[in-house]
Amino acid sequence: MNNLNLQFSESLFKTKDSLELFKQLIKSNNEELARQFDPKKPVNELISAKAKFVDSLLTTCWKHFFNSLENKLSLVAVGGYGRSELFPHSDIDILVLLDNTKDLQFQSALSQFNTFLWDIGLKPGLSTR
């Protein structure tokens, strides 16, 4: 199996067309997984590879949008994604845990993060607690 578990760099956000670049990375990953699909073989490795790809992508996005708030928020994968079972066309179920503070600094960053994920085509199912 081709290793699609890339480590993304913060430098992806420094390009003028970062949205298009992220979309292309996702498209390339989906195409490679589709190419590797064999209906006669179990899909466990493929759905796990997709989840690991999204892990890397989300980690990079999280660091970009929440760099100064890292000690106040946590990102948690839930649902099928949380079990490393990410099928094609699945939404990305994530939970953002907040500390007890009344600091509203995170709201703008959370909105930008969620919008960016939608814009690149990830379909996040986002909840906060």
Side-chain angles (χ1 to χ4, degrees), residues 3-4 17 26 28 51 53-55 59 77 90 96:
N3 185 2
L4 298 171
D17 298 327
I26 293 167
S28 295
F53 174 85
V54 171
D55 282 345
T59 298
S90 292
V96 176

Short mmCIF file of all heavy atoms in Angstrom, two decimals, residues 3-4 17 26 28 51 53-55 59 77 90 96:
data_model
loop_
_atom_site.label_atom_id
_atom_site.label_comp_id
_atom_site.label_asym_id
_atom_site.label_seq_id
_atom_site.Cartn_x
_atom_site.Cartn_y
_atom_site.Cartn_z
N ASN A 3 2.03 4.79 0.96
CA ASN A 3 1.88 5.53 2.21
C ASN A 3 1.32 6.92 1.94
O ASN A 3 1.99 7.77 1.39
CB ASN A 3 3.22 5.63 2.93
CG ASN A 3 3.10 6.28 4.29
OD1 ASN A 3 2.01 6.63 4.73
ND2 ASN A 3 4.21 6.43 4.95
N LEU A 4 0.08 7.14 2.34
CA LEU A 4 -0.57 8.43 2.13
C LEU A 4 -0.63 9.25 3.41
O LEU A 4 -1.30 10.25 3.48
CB LEU A 4 -1.99 8.22 1.59
CG LEU A 4 -2.06 7.53 0.25
CD1 LEU A 4 -3.49 7.18 -0.09
CD2 LEU A 4 -1.45 8.38 -0.84
N ASP A 17 -2.88 30.59 -2.71
CA ASP A 17 -3.98 29.68 -3.03
C ASP A 17 -4.06 28.51 -2.06
O ASP A 17 -4.22 27.36 -2.48
CB ASP A 17 -3.83 29.16 -4.46
CG ASP A 17 -3.89 30.27 -5.49
OD1 ASP A 17 -4.62 31.25 -5.25
OD2 ASP A 17 -3.20 30.16 -6.52
N ILE A 26 -6.49 16.81 -0.82
CA ILE A 26 -7.60 15.90 -0.48
C ILE A 26 -8.02 15.10 -1.70
O ILE A 26 -8.21 13.88 -1.63
CB ILE A 26 -8.78 16.70 0.13
CG1 ILE A 26 -8.38 17.27 1.49
CG2 ILE A 26 -10.02 15.81 0.26
CD1 ILE A 26 -9.34 18.30 2.03
N SER A 28 -6.25 14.36 -4.36
CA SER A 28 -5.19 13.39 -4.69
C SER A 28 -5.23 12.19 -3.77
O SER A 28 -5.07 11.05 -4.20
CB SER A 28 -3.82 14.06 -4.61
OG SER A 28 -3.69 15.06 -5.58
N ALA A 51 -8.38 8.02 7.48
CA ALA A 51 -8.45 8.68 8.80
C ALA A 51 -7.10 9.27 9.19
O ALA A 51 -7.04 10.39 9.72
CB ALA A 51 -8.93 7.69 9.86
N PHE A 53 -4.74 10.29 7.16
CA PHE A 53 -4.54 11.45 6.29
C PHE A 53 -5.27 12.66 6.88
O PHE A 53 -4.71 13.75 7.00
CB PHE A 53 -5.04 11.13 4.88
CG PHE A 53 -5.02 12.31 3.95
CD1 PHE A 53 -3.87 12.63 3.25
CD2 PHE A 53 -6.15 13.08 3.76
CE1 PHE A 53 -3.84 13.71 2.38
CE2 PHE A 53 -6.14 14.17 2.90
CZ PHE A 53 -4.98 14.49 2.21
N VAL A 54 -6.53 12.47 7.27
CA VAL A 54 -7.32 13.56 7.84
C VAL A 54 -6.73 14.01 9.18
O VAL A 54 -6.71 15.20 9.49
CB VAL A 54 -8.81 13.17 7.96
CG1 VAL A 54 -9.60 14.20 8.75
CG2 VAL A 54 -9.41 12.99 6.58
N ASP A 55 -6.19 13.07 9.97
CA ASP A 55 -5.51 13.44 11.22
C ASP A 55 -4.41 14.46 10.95
O ASP A 55 -4.31 15.48 11.63
CB ASP A 55 -4.88 12.21 11.89
CG ASP A 55 -5.85 11.35 12.64
OD1 ASP A 55 -6.98 11.79 12.91
OD2 ASP A 55 -5.46 10.21 12.98
N THR A 59 -4.53 18.32 12.14
CA THR A 59 -3.49 18.77 13.08
C THR A 59 -2.83 20.04 12.57
O THR A 59 -2.62 20.99 13.32
CB THR A 59 -2.44 17.66 13.29
OG1 THR A 59 -3.08 16.52 13.86
CG2 THR A 59 -1.33 18.12 14.21
N ALA A 77 -11.28 13.56 17.97
CA ALA A 77 -11.99 12.86 16.89
C ALA A 77 -13.05 11.96 17.53
O ALA A 77 -12.77 11.26 18.50
CB ALA A 77 -11.00 12.03 16.08
N SER A 90 -17.60 10.36 3.95
CA SER A 90 -18.04 10.51 5.34
C SER A 90 -17.76 11.93 5.82
O SER A 90 -16.81 12.57 5.39
CB SER A 90 -17.28 9.55 6.26
OG SER A 90 -17.63 8.23 6.01
N VAL A 96 -14.58 19.89 20.05
CA VAL A 96 -13.63 20.84 20.60
C VAL A 96 -13.99 21.01 22.08
O VAL A 96 -15.11 21.39 22.41
CB VAL A 96 -13.69 22.20 19.87
CG1 VAL A 96 -12.77 23.22 20.54
CG2 VAL A 96 -13.35 22.03 18.41
#
